[in-house]
Amino acid sequence: MAIKVLPPAFTEDKERLARFEREAQLLAQLNHPNIAQIYGLETSGATHALVMELVPGPTLDERLAAGPFSLTESLSVALQLALALEEAHEKGIVHRDLKPQNIKASSDGRVKVLDFGLAKAMDPAGAPASAGDLARSPTLMNSPTLTAVHGTQLGVILGTAAYMAPEQARGGAADKRADIWAFGVVLYEMLTGRSLFAGPTVSDTLAGVLKSEIDWRALPAGTPAAIRSLVRCCLERNPKNRLHDIADARIVLEEQIGGKVDEAIPGGGMPAVSAAGRSRLVGRLALGIAALALAGLAWTLATRGRSDDRPRPAARFQILPPEEAEFNSTDGPLELSPDGQSLLFRLEKPDGEHGLAIRRLDSFDIRELPGTTRAYDAFWSADGRSIGFFRSHLETIDAAGLQPPLQLAAVRDGRGGSWSSNGTILFAPDPTGAIYRIGASGGTPVAVTEVDAKLGELAHMRPSFLPDGEHFVYLIKAERVESSGIFVGALDGKLKKRLLPSDTAPRFAPPSFLLLFQSDRLVARRLDLERLAVTGEAVELADGVEYTTRFESLPASASLDGRLVYHQPSTGQLRQTVRTDRLGKRLATIGEPGDSNLDLSPDGRRLAVVRFDPERRRQFVWIHDLARDVRFPLSPDSPASGPVWSPDNRTVAYAAETSTEPRIATRPADGGPERVVWRDPFIIEPVDWSPDGRWILAEVGSAAGRTDLMLVPADGTGGAVPFANQRFNEDSGRFSPDGRFIAYVSDESGRAEIYIEPVARSGAKWLVSGRGGKAPRWSSGGRELLYVEPGAREADSTLASVRVEPHGDGLVFGQASPVAPIPSLDIELAADGRELLVTVPVAQGVTRPPILIENWTALLPAK
């Protein structure tokens, strides 16, 4: 074993040590003959040590001190390095500090790469190694001890700087292309026997990395053209033009060693390979895009032969969800990883449960992330190795799912997050508050914006980092149009600049664009990153994009490699309101298809329904006069849901749909002004109004992700009173006709069942159903309770009845008995108890799959 003892200065920082332990456990999954194994982190008293495989023999740095390698040995070592990097990159692990000192190369030809990922693991903020880290992380790679973590060994610091990719030297994010750069430097030095960028000082070395011309004449005359081309592709300063995958270097090396490489492509491009090599490459390509539509393969093959001076066109593919599951577009996410290789989404299962899952785009397999049930608004870290999301807290989890989620900060109802390359997370913890920052390993949240009530501002939300990791764009919702819009801010809280007037959220898209929602379209605007100003006109990318106003979430994301994904609008199941007898016989059709959330007035004369407006993509409350068979909107300009009637038949309460101030309001059914009775960010909708008119029973969300029931004063005075807010989900409550009891649905037993409790909360509680139950409805006399026993499908449901008799201060119940099949969970019982109003499906909804655009910037006009 090799034991690397962590210094006290490091281990005394508990948050940093905890993050290091998580990183070490992730790195321990690497098991490859060319990678030194990490076994774990051990503790003995106050001493913490990283336990690793002991690799004997000299380092590559020591071997190079004697001069250049032969071509044969250079290619052999390079192939083993490529194999090691390929293994790590496939697991999402980047070395970040590849250099000869971290490579053991014995004289018998065996190669081992040391210290994979430790440059990141040792960094306090979890950021990739950069020029700013030179006084800290590079020295830890020098030996089996980690005691020299403060940058005292100048030679080692210079050595690290000499192998940094240009983007690292500038302090930017490091992905697998940084390893490819370092691989190219190492290969160049093995062939030439001379340092490529080393200088007398760190500044000189970094200047060489950023600007110095590479002396290609130093390569030996006998260097094959294919290898010259390979080194050139690895040492492209622009990472977009650099070799993107180390596996391609491995193929070239294997072909060269096997004597199967043809001449290099003229102009210094990647080398051509033999027919066998081309066959393997085509096979890899076909596998990589098999998860997309077949059209994707045709497009890729059709454009493969284009010359470099012809622009690659954009192409669109559908992404189908896993079997027996759906993509969720309401509170997402649908997020491309920064490298564009993986898709993060919320997996909706038939049983109603959901959690986060990841699918690589080169595979049909999905990987569910344990411990993420009911997660929402998830987002990637800048390096693609971790994920942030919301529940009752802002939480993070490693993308491999090897560790349980880490809670960073409590939230009420999150409104978006973003994770920079320097390990800072921005998040909006409240739909009516400011934006905060926090370190990826935790700490105290610090506000970076301030809601200005004098300007009528209501909320700041949906932050999205710009590439520098210091600035970000976000949405301000305000009462006044001139105060709302898309703004740019800074981590120090000193910048607040309006970019555009808007009431919808932006997303930053690399390299320098804003994605915006305008008039049901997804558009892009150029963003000048130096002047922090929007330039040019909006360019339409897609007509018809899902956007949820309540959460102000734009379900579109773009990756560094030119991919963009977005949700298409889906249509719900179209339902028709019908009147039936209790045996299910249809008696009459009411109105046009499209109703939901039925609520019948106590006198049985009018019906309140919710209807979706496809043009405005909002839902509104309508009133249907059953006697005259006419209907009208209750509030044509106010999106709303969950209507319930007052006991005097005069007023309707509803949940106003808004992203900044969720509220329950009332409005006279015959027209009149709205009156707000309760504001709360967790409001879902009202479900009933007490017979004495005092209380509105409402469903609300909780910080733990549950649904609870609250009693809201109907006159708007006083506070709301919890009714059922236990450890389970409670919903669909209904007052008994005398107002003494509430029947409701709870999953306390593990499935949805009907319970009854006294409004006075005496401690009594009765289980009414026994085989599952939803949608309880009291008869007018209160002596019968009807409910729906759900089947495997909604169409297989059954209407059930239970006799209810008063007994002292409590109730006694008869045997539950089925009444008739009923294909709906949306029911209302007529006042006479003999008829029902139900909504039945007349057309299936259409769930349209998300769209992936390859090379989406080709849709934009030239600068």
Side-chain angles (χ1 to χ4, degrees):
M1 304 290 183
I3 298 178
K4 293 198 170 188
V5 179
L6 304 181
F10 182 94
T11 58
E12 289 169 1
D13 186 342
K14 301 304 181 185
E15 293 179 355
R16 188 178 178 192
L17 180 62
R19 194 186 63 79
F20 181 85
E21 185 172 8
R22 293 195 301 272
E23 290 287 341
Q25 291 180 0
L26 176 65
L27 298 173
Q29 68 178 291
L30 288 176
N31 188 0
H32 188 271
N34 297 118
I35 298 176
Q37 179 75 42
I38 294 177
Y39 296 118
L41 191 66
E42 298 293 334
T43 302
S44 175
T47 300
H48 300 265
L50 191 66
V51 181
M52 309 176 67
E53 175 186 358
L54 177 62
V55 183
T59 66
L60 185 61
D61 183 56
E62 294 168 334
R63 293 280 313 280
L64 284 172
F69 287 11
S70 68
L71 175 64
T72 300
E73 188 173 14
S74 295
L75 298 186
S76 174
V77 171
L79 177 58
Q80 294 178 74
L81 292 179
L83 289 168
L85 291 173
E86 184 179 7
E87 172 72 13
H89 291 177
E90 286 181 348
K91 289 182 167 60
I93 297 174
V94 180
H95 194 294
R96 288 182 173 80
D97 194 30
L98 184 68
K99 58 187 178 183
Q101 296 99 317
N102 282 334
I103 301 167
K104 285 294 186 83
S106 63
S107 56
D108 62 2
R110 289 177 296 177
V111 173
K112 286 267 190 180
V113 181
L114 314 179
D115 296 330
F116 254 101
L118 292 187
K120 177 187 177 184
M122 290 294 291
D123 189 272
S130 68
D133 304 320
L134 290 177
R136 181 172 58 252
S137 63
T139 57
L140 71 92
M141 305 306 170
N142 189 46
S143 70
T145 65
L146 300 182
T147 55
V149 297
H150 299 293
T152 59
Q153 299 182 36
L154 181 59
V156 177
I157 294 177
L158 289 173
T160 293
Y163 298 89
M164 278 188 170
E167 61 268 27
Q168 284 180 289
R170 293 189 180 97
D175 58 17
K176 64 181 183 181
R177 292 171 296 182
D179 283 353
I180 293 173
W181 169 276
F183 169 83
V185 176
V186 171
L187 178 53
Y188 179 97
E189 294 182 356
M190 285 193 296
L191 291 168
T192 64
R194 54 192 277 188
S195 296
L196 184 52
F197 298 115
T201 67
V202 173
S203 298
D204 293 330
T205 300
L206 293 178
V209 170
L210 294 172
K211 297 180 180 180
S212 292
E213 289 292 329
I214 297 175
D215 184 5
W216 300 111
R217 295 171 301 177
L219 291 171
T223 305
I227 302 303
R228 289 177 181 269
S229 296
L230 174 61
V231 177
R232 284 180 177 270
C233 290
C234 292
L235 295 180
E236 283 284 348
R237 284 193 166 89
N238 186 340
K240 292 184 178 180
N241 300 329
R242 195 178 305 151
L243 188 70
H244 275 44
D245 199 325
I246 195 65
D248 294 328
R250 186 258 303 164
I251 292 173
V252 171
L253 290 164
E254 287 178 338
E255 297 289 334
Q256 181 65 54
I257 293 172
K260 300 177 182 179
V261 174
D262 301 327
E263 288 298 315
I265 296 174
M270 274 298 293
V273 297
S274 65
R278 282 193 295 271
S279 176
R280 284 196 292 273
L281 284 170
V282 171
R284 287 168 57 84
L285 177 62
L287 178 62
I289 59 178
L292 301 176
L294 183 60
L297 178 58
W299 173 82
T300 302
L301 295 178
T303 59
R304 170 185 287 260
R306 292 175 178 267
S307 60
D308 291 342
D309 59 350
R310 295 181 60 188
R312 186 165 57 94
R316 299 174 191 261
F317 311 121
Q318 291 183 339
I319 303 178
L320 300 181
E323 292 185 12
E324 299 184 357
E326 294 182 0
F327 291 128
N328 179 286
S329 60
T330 301
D331 44 11
L334 190 67
E335 297 285 315
L336 279 171
S337 59
D339 64 5
Q341 303 304 304
S342 298
L343 190 67
L344 170 68
F345 60 96
R346 201 172 87 159
L347 184 65
E348 300 284 340
K349 297 183 180 179
D351 60 6
E353 285 293 335
H354 62 261
L356 299 179
I358 295 174
R359 175 183 144 189
R360 285 189 58 84
L361 293 182
D362 61 2
S363 170
F364 288 109
D365 297 331
I366 64 170
R367 175 165 45 84
E368 298 183 46
L369 294 178
T372 61
T373 303
R374 294 190 297 275
Y376 65 95
D377 271 359
F379 51 95
W380 291 91
S381 63
D383 62 5
R385 296 179 60 184
S386 301
I387 290 164
F389 61 90
F390 294 96
R391 284 189 293 199
S392 61
H393 289 73
L394 168 66
E395 302 183 47
T396 62
I397 188 173
D398 66 283
L402 301 178
Q403 297 294 315
L406 173 67
Q407 292 184 348
L408 299 185
V411 300
R412 293 189 67 195
D413 192 5
R415 287 295 185 269
S418 188
W419 194 330
S420 76
S421 59
N422 62 17
T424 299
I425 296 176
L426 287 175
F427 68 107
D430 191 306
T432 58
I435 293 171
Y436 289 75
R437 63 176 168 86
I438 192 172
S441 57
T444 302
V446 177
V448 295
T449 68
E450 182 179 358
V451 176
D452 193 336
K454 294 180 181 178
L455 296 177
E457 294 179 4
L458 299 172
H460 298 179
M461 59 181 65
R462 299 295 165 191
S464 184
F465 265 116
L466 301 185
D468 63 5
E470 293 294 327
H471 295 92
F472 57 93
V473 292
Y474 63 103
L475 174 68
I476 292 184
K477 299 287 286 186
E479 295 173 342
R480 301 201 293 266
V481 174
E482 63 273 16
S483 297
S484 63
I486 294 172
F487 286 72
V488 61
L491 289 182
D492 60 10
K494 296 179 180 179
L495 177 65
K496 182 182 180 182
K497 179 181 179 181
R498 193 177 195 227
L499 296 176
L500 291 168
S502 178
D503 60 356
T504 59
R507 289 290 301 269
F508 178 76
S512 57
F513 298 95
L514 291 182
L515 299 179
L516 308 167
F517 180 80
Q518 293 181 357
S519 303
D520 204 30
R521 300 174 302 147
L522 179 66
V523 303
R525 296 285 301 269
R526 290 187 184 273
L527 180 63
D528 187 320
L529 296 175
E530 292 185 1
R531 297 191 297 116
L532 296 178
V534 174
T535 63
E537 299 297 323
V539 178
E540 180 178 323
L541 304 178
D543 183 10
V545 178
E546 191 76 50
Y547 187 93
T548 306
T549 304
R550 179 174 180 182
F551 303 110
E552 296 298 355
S553 175
L554 178 63
S557 65
S559 62
L560 293 166
D561 68 344
R563 287 176 170 168
L564 184 147
V565 66
Y566 65 90
H567 265 297
Q568 299 184 92
S570 299
T571 58
Q573 190 180 59
L574 195 63
R575 306 181 73 91
Q576 173 72 58
T577 302
V578 298
R579 186 192 299 272
T580 73
D581 63 18
R582 290 181 57 148
L583 296 179
K585 180 181 179 181
R586 187 174 299 191
L587 304 176
T589 298
I590 299 173
E592 299 294 328
D595 292 347
S596 64
N597 288 140
L598 306 182
D599 196 73
L600 186 66
S601 61
D603 61 10
R605 298 174 58 186
R606 290 185 287 185
L607 183 68
V609 302
V610 171
R611 293 184 64 84
F612 181 76
D613 185 330
E615 292 186 2
R616 290 188 283 178
R617 302 204 58 77
R618 304 288 187 273
Q619 52 187 9
F620 298 85
V621 173
W622 286 67
I623 304 298
H624 190 106
D625 188 315
L626 297 175
R628 298 187 297 130
D629 195 25
V630 296
R631 61 175 52 190
F632 57 89
L634 176 68
S635 52
D637 298 322
S638 300
S641 63
V644 295
W645 286 92
S646 64
D648 61 6
N649 304 290
R650 295 179 179 179
T651 307
V652 176
Y654 52 85
E657 289 197 350
T658 171
S659 63
T660 57
E661 193 181 41
R663 62 187 185 271
I664 290 179
T666 62
R667 189 183 293 267
D670 296 324
E674 177 182 276
R675 180 183 183 187
V676 177
V677 298
W678 191 43
R679 293 180 173 90
D680 191 274
F682 293 112
I683 288 171
I684 299 175
E685 61 186 23
V687 290
D688 203 12
W689 201 318
S690 66
D692 62 8
R694 293 180 56 200
W695 302 100
I696 295 171
L697 186 63
E699 292 177 0
V700 297
S702 73
R706 301 187 309 268
T707 301
D708 296 329
L709 293 173
M710 299 284 286
L711 294 167
V712 178
D715 61 4
T717 62
V721 178
F723 173 72
N725 60 339
Q726 304 175 24
R727 295 181 294 109
F728 315 103
N729 290 293
E730 294 91 16
D731 56 63
S732 306
R734 287 282 172 145
F735 285 99
S736 61
D738 61 8
R740 295 174 57 204
F741 303 95
I742 293 178
Y744 64 95
V745 178
S746 172
D747 61 2
E748 177 178 348
S749 67
R751 67 178 176 184
E753 299 280 8
I754 306 296
Y755 293 81
I756 294 179
E757 281 193 58
V759 174
R761 304 298 301 279
S762 64
K765 181 170 69 173
W766 302 278
L767 172 64
V768 178
S769 59
R771 295 189 297 268
K774 293 187 176 181
R777 298 292 186 268
W778 296 86
S779 66
S780 58
R783 299 298 179 94
E784 180 188 28
L785 187 73
L786 294 174
Y787 63 91
V788 177
E789 285 186 355
R793 300 173 304 161
E794 185 179 25
D796 300 328
S797 300
T798 302
L799 185 67
S801 170
V802 171
R803 293 294 301 172
V804 182
E805 298 289 345
H807 182 72
D809 293 333
L811 300 170
V812 294
F813 305 93
Q815 184 71 30
S817 60
V819 176
I822 183 169
S824 180
L825 298 178
D826 195 2
I827 66 171
E828 276 294 279
L829 183 64
D832 60 8
R834 295 195 296 256
E835 295 182 355
L836 297 170
L837 294 176
V838 302
T839 63
V840 296
V842 294
Q844 293 296 320
V846 177
T847 301
R848 303 170 68 192
I851 297 296
L852 177 73
I853 306 179
E854 289 274 6
N855 194 33
W856 72 272
T857 54
L859 300 173
L860 306 175
K863 241 181 186 179

